[in-house]
Amino acid sequence: MRNNTLLFGLWILLSSFAAGLAAQDIKVADIRFGENGEATRFVLDVSAPVKPNIFLLANPSRVVIDMPEVQWQLGRSIEPKGIIAGFRHGLFSSGTYRIVLDLKNPAVVSKAFPLPASEGYSDRYVIDLKSTGSAAFTKAVKVSRAARLKVIKPSVPVAPPKIVRRTDNKRIIVIDAGHGGVDPGTLGRFGANEKILTLKISREIKRELEKTGRYKVYLTRNKDIYVPHRSRFALAKRVGADLFVSVHVDAIKNSKVRGGTVYTLNERASDKEAARLARKENKSDVLAGVDLAYTNDEVSSILIDLAQRETMNASAQSAEILLPEMRKQVRMHKKGHRFANLLVLKSPDVPSILLETGYQTNKADARMLNSRKGQRSISKALRIAADKYFETLVVQGR
Ligand SMILES: [Zn+2]
């Protein structure tokens, strides 16, 4: 019985790939969760037939459903049922739209099939999940991984932007809009996802900085798409950035907590709050359904560690210069500079800071973060702070 389930899973995977993922402009009009005896059913209402690529991931137990780049048309929030604890969706990479289902307990795909449009129904795709023991789950994860590796072509990296030779004396800044795509980030009082706010703020910062004629600004993403941590700081290196600023919006249970914080990298968090933040911000790959078993960690050699230590000091210095300037323009937390072990700041040679612009869970902060005026204040603060920072570098002969 167990073997049949596994074989069936394999068949699903292979047949999905055979069908190809070339469909375009497919709309997802609705999704449904249902409980049918022991099985949990997940149904997608789609405007044209789809054959998703489905696979399992462990630690934590997840089901990942990859489709071509669909248009997600549901505005309302939907509660998951049965064995599904939660779910996320969004653009995973150019051409791939991903749904990640978080499982309460290990489960396998017992059935997955398309249902053609019929009276009153659009095309659907149905996935049935069935609880399983952890040994069977581990086996199913392995099978789905093996099948995936056999057919998946290595992902083609996005064409790198041309390396800019500085002939114009402009300082190069990379602004990193936190989260994106299948990783939504925090959710705020006004229902805004962090990923949407960080993009708005980042675009505003780019405008504000470039307006001066003193800066060339690159955004790590300019649409709602997932970008791995290392691709974010790799961009900074590629364009020869002088400064990397990752933009985020925090959330916390206590709605009274407010104000921005500048974070720089340190393996040891400066306090409990910094440790909490690092745990949250570093989870991006897990949330996006990335198979961490297959990411090789090239950020671990001793040479890089040494360069990084120097960069860490430079980053901390930049934060100390930026902070008082930020404080003049926007509300900053009392303890405005903290240290945390943040993956996105692990650029070996570009001074990097992470700016938590405020707390979405605080009414005043949320209002500020959601307004154009507030987004402009943050941008202005960062521009003045950057001016000051680079002036200091010039004085120091750097
Ligand atoms: Zn964040």
Side-chain angles (χ1 to χ4, degrees), residues 93-234:
S93 60
S94 225
T96 304
Y97 199 92
R98 174 168 286 188
I99 304 170
V100 181
L101 307 176
D102 299 322
L103 301 175
K104 287 179 189 161
N105 305 300
V108 289
V109 178
S110 56
K111 272 186 246 162
F113 54 94
L115 273 178
S118 64
E119 226 175 293
Y121 289 101
S122 66
D123 273 292
R124 282 144 293 163
Y125 197 85
V126 181
I127 298 167
D128 282 344
L129 301 169
K130 220 175 85 188
S131 288
T132 185
S134 61
F137 180 70
T138 306
K139 216 166 170 182
V141 168
K142 268 191 196 151
V143 169
S144 82
R145 176 179 296 152
R148 197 152 40 94
L149 290 178
K150 220 182 269 177
V151 281
I152 272 183
K153 290 186 211 104
S155 64
V156 184
V158 185
K162 283 189 194 115
I163 291 177
V164 179
R165 304 266 171 249
R166 261 175 282 169
T167 52
D168 53 4
N169 283 326
K170 281 186 185 177
R171 296 285 189 175
I172 297 171
I173 302 180
V174 168
I175 301 295
D176 172 45
H179 309 275
V182 68
D183 166 20
T186 58
L187 185 68
R189 288 180 73 101
F190 301 143
N193 275 322
E194 180 180 2
K195 64 174 184 176
I196 304 298
L197 289 178
T198 59
L199 185 54
K200 282 186 181 165
I201 297 167
S202 297
R203 282 177 180 153
E204 193 62 47
I205 292 172
K206 177 177 161 72
R207 237 193 315 271
E208 177 75 24
L209 286 170
E210 289 193 333
K211 207 170 68 184
T212 64
R214 293 189 288 280
Y215 304 105
K216 170 73 192 150
V217 178
Y218 293 89
L219 298 177
T220 52
R221 65 178 177 96
N222 202 2
K223 63 174 176 175
D224 185 11
I225 189 168
Y226 163 75
V227 182
H229 285 130
R230 77 187 55 235
S231 306
R232 295 172 188 259
F233 64 67

Side-chain angles (χ1 to χ4, degrees), residues 179 194 248 280-281 356:
H179 309 275
E194 180 180 2
H248 290 257
K280 177 171 70 79
E281 297 296 0
E356 287 286 351

Side-chain angles (χ1 to χ4, degrees), residues 144-395:
S144 82
R145 176 179 296 152
R148 197 152 40 94
L149 290 178
K150 220 182 269 177
V151 281
I152 272 183
K153 290 186 211 104
S155 64
V156 184
V158 185
K162 283 189 194 115
I163 291 177
V164 179
R165 304 266 171 249
R166 261 175 282 169
T167 52
D168 53 4
N169 283 326
K170 281 186 185 177
R171 296 285 189 175
I172 297 171
I173 302 180
V174 168
I175 301 295
D176 172 45
H179 309 275
V182 68
D183 166 20
T186 58
L187 185 68
R189 288 180 73 101
F190 301 143
N193 275 322
E194 180 180 2
K195 64 174 184 176
I196 304 298
L197 289 178
T198 59
L199 185 54
K200 282 186 181 165
I201 297 167
S202 297
R203 282 177 180 153
E204 193 62 47
I205 292 172
K206 177 177 161 72
R207 237 193 315 271
E208 177 75 24
L209 286 170
E210 289 193 333
K211 207 170 68 184
T212 64
R214 293 189 288 280
Y215 304 105
K216 170 73 192 150
V217 178
Y218 293 89
L219 298 177
T220 52
R221 65 178 177 96
N222 202 2
K223 63 174 176 175
D224 185 11
I225 189 168
Y226 163 75
V227 182
H229 285 130
R230 77 187 55 235
S231 306
R232 295 172 188 259
F233 64 67
L235 173 76
K237 187 178 173 63
R238 234 168 25 230
V239 300
D242 297 292
L243 185 64
F244 174 92
V245 182
S246 189
V247 177
H248 290 257
V249 175
D250 210 348
I252 198 166
K253 258 196 199 130
N254 182 352
S255 64
K256 285 192 187 122
V257 179
R258 61 173 300 198
T261 305
V262 182
Y263 281 89
T264 55
L265 178 69
N266 200 305
E267 314 270 282
R268 282 175 57 191
S270 53
D271 52 32
K272 245 162 86 184
E273 170 65 10
R276 172 197 70 87
L277 186 99
R279 267 197 308 277
K280 177 171 70 79
E281 297 296 0
N282 291 345
K283 231 168 44 186
S284 182
D285 289 343
V286 170
L287 292 177
V290 173
D291 193 347
L292 293 175
Y294 280 84
T295 53
N296 54 336
D297 201 347
E298 72 255 26
V299 195
S300 57
S301 82
I302 295 166
L303 275 178
I304 288 177
D305 278 357
L306 283 173
Q308 198 152 68
R309 208 156 305 151
E310 228 168 84
T311 308
M312 264 161 62
N313 293 335
S315 302
Q317 265 178 17
S318 73
E320 290 301 328
I321 296 168
L322 292 166
L323 183 61
E325 298 307 318
M326 297 289 298
R327 236 188 245 293
K328 286 178 198 163
Q329 305 297 325
V330 285
R331 175 88 169 217
M332 298 297 282
H333 203 269
K334 225 187 320 171
K335 200 171 175 188
H337 177 200
R338 286 186 162 110
F339 298 96
N341 192 7
L342 290 155
L343 293 176
V344 77
L345 300 182
K346 288 209 166 175
S347 174
D349 41 18
V350 181
S352 305
I353 60 170
L354 186 144
L355 178 63
E356 287 286 351
T357 50
Y359 291 86
Q360 287 214 72
T361 32
N362 174 270
K363 209 170 166 184
D365 271 12
R367 200 170 286 146
M368 183 274 288
L369 292 161
N370 278 277
S371 72
R372 186 81 197 278
K373 193 170 160 242
Q375 292 160 8
R376 279 196 173 139
S377 301
I378 294 166
S379 308
K380 190 179 162 204
L382 198 80
R383 191 249 304 152
I384 295 171
D387 284 348
K388 179 88 177 199
Y389 169 63
F390 288 114
E391 263 170 38
T392 313
L393 288 193
V394 169
V395 169

